Amino acid sequence: MNKNQEHLDVFDHLFSQLADDQSTIADFSNAVKSSMDESARKKGYNSFSEMISAEISSSLSNSQPRKPQVDTKNISAEHISRFEYMMKAIQSVTYEPKYQGYYGTGHRSCLDSYAKQMENNPKDLCVIEEKVKADIKYYAKLLKKNRNDAYTQGYYDALVLLANSLLRSKKAKMREIKKAVLEMKEKAQ
Protein backbone atom coordinates (compact mmCIF):
# COMPACT_ATOMS: atom_id res chain seq x y z
CA MET A 1 0.00 0.00 0.00
CA ASN A 2 1.45 3.39 -0.96
CA LYS A 3 1.56 6.41 1.33
CA ASN A 4 -1.25 8.27 -0.47
CA GLN A 5 -3.56 5.30 0.00
CA GLU A 6 -2.67 5.17 3.71
CA HIS A 7 -3.56 8.85 4.10
CA LEU A 8 -6.85 8.35 2.25
CA ASP A 9 -7.67 5.37 4.47
CA VAL A 10 -7.23 7.52 7.57
CA PHE A 11 -9.63 10.12 6.21
CA ASP A 12 -12.08 7.45 5.02
CA HIS A 13 -12.16 6.10 8.57
CA LEU A 14 -12.75 9.58 10.01
CA PHE A 15 -15.51 10.31 7.47
CA SER A 16 -17.19 6.98 8.17
CA GLN A 17 -17.27 7.82 11.89
CA LEU A 18 -18.92 11.14 11.06
CA ALA A 19 -21.41 9.49 8.69
CA ASP A 20 -22.33 6.82 11.24
CA ASP A 21 -23.15 9.56 13.79
CA GLN A 22 -20.44 8.18 16.02
CA SER A 23 -19.01 11.62 16.40
CA THR A 24 -20.05 15.23 16.15
CA ILE A 25 -18.49 17.75 13.80
CA ALA A 26 -16.37 19.04 16.69
CA ASP A 27 -15.19 15.50 17.47
CA PHE A 28 -14.40 14.97 13.79
CA SER A 29 -12.47 18.26 13.66
CA ASN A 30 -10.49 17.33 16.78
CA ALA A 31 -9.73 13.87 15.37
CA VAL A 32 -8.46 15.39 12.11
CA LYS A 33 -6.35 17.96 13.98
CA SER A 34 -4.82 15.36 16.29
CA SER A 35 -4.12 13.06 13.33
CA MET A 36 -2.35 15.90 11.50
CA ASP A 37 -0.42 16.91 14.64
CA GLU A 38 0.65 13.29 15.15
CA SER A 39 1.92 13.16 11.58
CA ALA A 40 3.87 16.40 12.14
CA ARG A 41 5.41 15.02 15.39
CA LYS A 42 6.63 12.00 13.44
CA LYS A 43 8.39 14.41 11.09
CA GLY A 44 10.01 16.26 14.00
CA TYR A 45 7.63 19.16 14.58
CA ASN A 46 5.45 19.83 17.61
CA SER A 47 2.29 20.49 15.59
CA PHE A 48 0.96 20.63 12.04
CA SER A 49 0.68 24.43 12.11
CA GLU A 50 4.29 24.69 13.32
CA MET A 51 5.38 22.40 10.46
CA ILE A 52 3.63 24.56 7.85
CA SER A 53 5.06 27.75 9.36
CA ALA A 54 8.60 26.35 9.47
CA GLU A 55 8.40 25.01 5.91
CA ILE A 56 7.20 28.39 4.62
CA SER A 57 9.95 30.23 6.53
CA SER A 58 12.55 27.78 5.26
CA SER A 59 11.46 28.15 1.65
CA LEU A 60 11.40 31.96 1.87
CA SER A 61 14.85 32.19 3.44
CA ASN A 62 16.39 29.38 1.34
CA SER A 63 18.04 28.03 4.48
CA GLN A 64 18.09 24.47 5.71
CA PRO A 65 17.20 23.83 9.37
CA ARG A 66 20.22 22.90 11.48
CA LYS A 67 20.23 19.83 13.66
CA PRO A 68 20.63 20.45 17.38
CA GLN A 69 24.21 21.27 18.24
CA VAL A 70 26.39 22.46 21.10
CA ASP A 71 27.06 26.19 21.15
CA THR A 72 30.85 25.81 21.13
CA LYS A 73 31.40 29.55 20.58
CA ASN A 74 29.97 30.40 24.00
CA ILE A 75 31.43 27.48 25.94
CA SER A 76 35.08 27.40 26.83
CA ALA A 77 36.50 24.06 27.92
CA GLU A 78 39.54 25.65 29.47
CA HIS A 79 39.98 25.84 33.24
CA ILE A 80 36.86 23.83 33.98
CA SER A 81 36.43 20.12 34.51
CA ARG A 82 35.26 17.83 31.74
CA PHE A 83 32.07 17.28 33.72
CA GLU A 84 31.37 21.03 33.91
CA TYR A 85 32.03 21.36 30.18
CA MET A 86 29.63 18.53 29.39
CA MET A 87 26.87 19.99 31.57
CA LYS A 88 27.25 23.38 29.85
CA ALA A 89 27.31 21.68 26.46
CA ILE A 90 24.10 19.76 27.16
CA GLN A 91 22.38 22.91 28.43
CA SER A 92 23.42 24.91 25.34
CA VAL A 93 21.61 22.64 22.87
CA THR A 94 18.66 24.32 21.16
CA TYR A 95 16.08 22.91 18.77
CA GLU A 96 14.77 24.47 15.58
CA PRO A 97 11.12 23.69 14.78
CA LYS A 98 11.98 20.81 12.42
CA TYR A 99 13.89 19.06 15.20
CA GLN A 100 11.24 19.06 17.89
CA GLY A 101 8.34 16.62 18.17
CA TYR A 102 9.40 12.98 18.51
CA TYR A 103 12.91 13.78 17.24
CA GLY A 104 13.41 16.40 19.96
CA THR A 105 11.90 14.10 22.59
CA GLY A 106 14.36 11.34 21.69
CA HIS A 107 17.27 13.79 21.54
CA ARG A 108 16.46 15.38 24.90
CA SER A 109 15.79 11.99 26.49
CA CYS A 110 19.27 10.83 25.54
CA LEU A 111 20.94 14.02 26.78
CA ASP A 112 19.03 13.95 30.07
CA SER A 113 19.83 10.27 30.63
CA TYR A 114 23.53 10.79 30.09
CA ALA A 115 23.56 13.99 32.19
CA LYS A 116 22.24 11.94 35.13
CA GLN A 117 24.87 9.26 34.52
CA MET A 118 27.61 11.91 34.45
CA GLU A 119 26.33 13.42 37.69
CA ASN A 120 26.74 10.01 39.34
CA ASN A 121 30.37 9.77 38.25
CA PRO A 122 31.65 13.29 37.43
CA LYS A 123 35.34 12.45 37.87
CA ASP A 124 35.51 9.58 35.36
CA LEU A 125 33.85 10.35 32.04
CA CYS A 126 35.82 7.59 30.30
CA VAL A 127 33.12 5.16 31.43
CA ILE A 128 30.51 7.39 29.78
CA GLU A 129 32.58 7.57 26.58
CA GLU A 130 32.61 3.79 26.30
CA LYS A 131 28.87 3.58 26.93
CA VAL A 132 28.18 6.27 24.32
CA LYS A 133 30.27 4.37 21.74
CA ALA A 134 28.37 1.16 22.44
CA ASP A 135 25.02 2.93 22.27
CA ILE A 136 25.94 4.59 18.96
CA LYS A 137 26.50 1.14 17.44
CA TYR A 138 23.24 -0.16 18.90
CA TYR A 139 21.13 2.79 17.71
CA ALA A 140 22.77 2.77 14.26
CA LYS A 141 21.48 -0.79 13.85
CA LEU A 142 18.01 0.29 15.00
CA LEU A 143 17.99 3.10 12.45
CA LYS A 144 18.92 0.74 9.65
CA LYS A 145 15.78 -1.26 10.44
CA ASN A 146 13.49 1.77 10.65
CA ARG A 147 14.78 4.98 9.07
CA ASN A 148 11.50 6.81 9.66
CA ASP A 149 11.53 6.59 13.46
CA ALA A 150 12.04 10.22 14.51
CA TYR A 151 12.52 9.37 18.20
CA THR A 152 15.33 6.89 17.46
CA GLN A 153 16.94 9.31 15.00
CA GLY A 154 16.90 12.03 17.67
CA TYR A 155 18.37 9.68 20.25
CA TYR A 156 21.11 8.57 17.84
CA ASP A 157 21.98 12.16 16.87
CA ALA A 158 22.23 13.06 20.57
CA LEU A 159 24.66 10.17 21.10
CA VAL A 160 26.84 11.49 18.27
CA LEU A 161 26.64 14.99 19.76
CA LEU A 162 27.70 13.58 23.15
CA ALA A 163 30.61 11.67 21.62
CA ASN A 164 31.87 14.82 19.88
CA SER A 165 31.48 16.91 23.05
CA LEU A 166 33.30 14.32 25.15
CA LEU A 167 36.14 14.34 22.63
CA ARG A 168 36.31 18.17 22.66
CA SER A 169 36.44 18.20 26.46
CA LYS A 170 39.20 15.57 26.48
CA LYS A 171 41.29 17.49 23.92
CA ALA A 172 40.88 20.71 25.91
CA LYS A 173 42.14 18.96 29.07
CA MET A 174 45.10 17.53 27.14
CA ARG A 175 45.99 21.04 25.86
CA GLU A 176 45.84 22.37 29.43
CA ILE A 177 48.10 19.59 30.70
CA LYS A 178 50.54 20.07 27.84
CA LYS A 179 50.66 23.81 28.52
CA ALA A 180 51.28 23.24 32.24
CA VAL A 181 54.04 20.72 31.53
CA LEU A 182 55.74 23.08 29.08
CA GLU A 183 55.55 25.93 31.62
CA MET A 184 57.10 23.70 34.29
CA LYS A 185 59.81 22.65 31.85
CA GLU A 186 60.61 26.30 31.01
CA LYS A 187 60.82 27.23 34.70
CA ALA A 188 63.16 24.31 35.34
CA GLN A 189 65.61 25.53 32.70
Side-chain angles (χ1 to χ4, degrees):
M1 183 183 311
N2 66 26
K3 286 220 181 249
N4 289 335
Q5 187 60 41
E6 288 177 26
H7 295 307
L8 291 175
D9 288 346
V10 169
F11 283 108
D12 284 344
H13 173 69
L14 291 171
F15 282 125
S16 71
Q17 281 183 322
L18 183 63
D20 294 340
D21 271 338
Q22 294 178 359
S23 63
T24 65
I25 296 289
D27 292 338
F28 175 76
S29 174
N30 288 336
V32 170
K33 182 181 180 331
S34 85
S35 175
M36 292 168 71
D37 285 345
E38 177 67 17
S39 177
R41 279 191 287 279
K42 288 179 181 176
K43 292 182 180 181
Y45 298 94
N46 280 329
S47 67
F48 185 76
S49 61
E50 188 177 275
M51 180 177 83
I52 298 298
S53 176
E55 292 294 326
I56 290 170
S57 295
S58 172
S59 67
L60 291 176
S61 67
N62 291 330
S63 65
Q64 294 294 320
R66 292 185 340 213
K67 286 188 174 183
Q69 59 190 12
V70 172
D71 186 3
T72 56
K73 293 177 185 169
N74 292 326
I75 301 173
S76 172
E78 301 210 4
H79 308 298
I80 62 173
S81 70
R82 289 184 72 201
F83 170 74
E84 291 169 315
Y85 176 82
M86 290 304 297
M87 291 299 107
K88 287 182 180 186
I90 288 171
Q91 291 169 357
S92 78
V93 175
T94 57
Y95 300 89
E96 290 191 9
K98 178 161 177 55
Y99 294 104
Q100 295 179 7
Y102 290 132
Y103 177 95
T105 302
H107 200 274
R108 183 50 59 190
S109 174
C110 177
L111 295 180
D112 291 345
S113 170
Y114 273 96
K116 287 177 186 169
Q117 291 176 48
M118 286 183 236
E119 287 172 356
N120 292 334
N121 196 5
K123 302 263 186 224
D124 186 13
L125 296 186
C126 292
V127 172
I128 300 295
E129 286 176 296
E130 293 305 313
K131 186 164 180 355
V132 167
K133 286 179 188 176
D135 281 352
I136 285 174
K137 289 178 184 176
Y138 174 76
Y139 278 89
K141 288 178 185 175
L142 283 180
L143 281 175
K144 282 184 181 180
K145 292 177 184 173
N146 187 2
R147 291 215 172 267
N148 295 328
D149 184 358
Y151 182 90
T152 303
Q153 183 66 54
Y155 202 96
Y156 173 81
D157 288 348
L159 288 166
V160 172
L161 181 140
L162 285 168
N164 292 333
S165 296
L166 284 162
L167 182 61
R168 272 195 303 280
S169 71
K170 183 185 278 187
K171 285 182 177 180
K173 281 296 144 205
M174 286 195 251
R175 282 191 300 272
E176 278 185 44
I177 292 168
K178 180 180 177 183
K179 184 178 176 182
V181 168
L182 290 174
E183 287 175 1
M184 288 173 32
K185 188 176 179 182
E186 285 179 12
K187 287 180 183 179
Q189 291 178 355

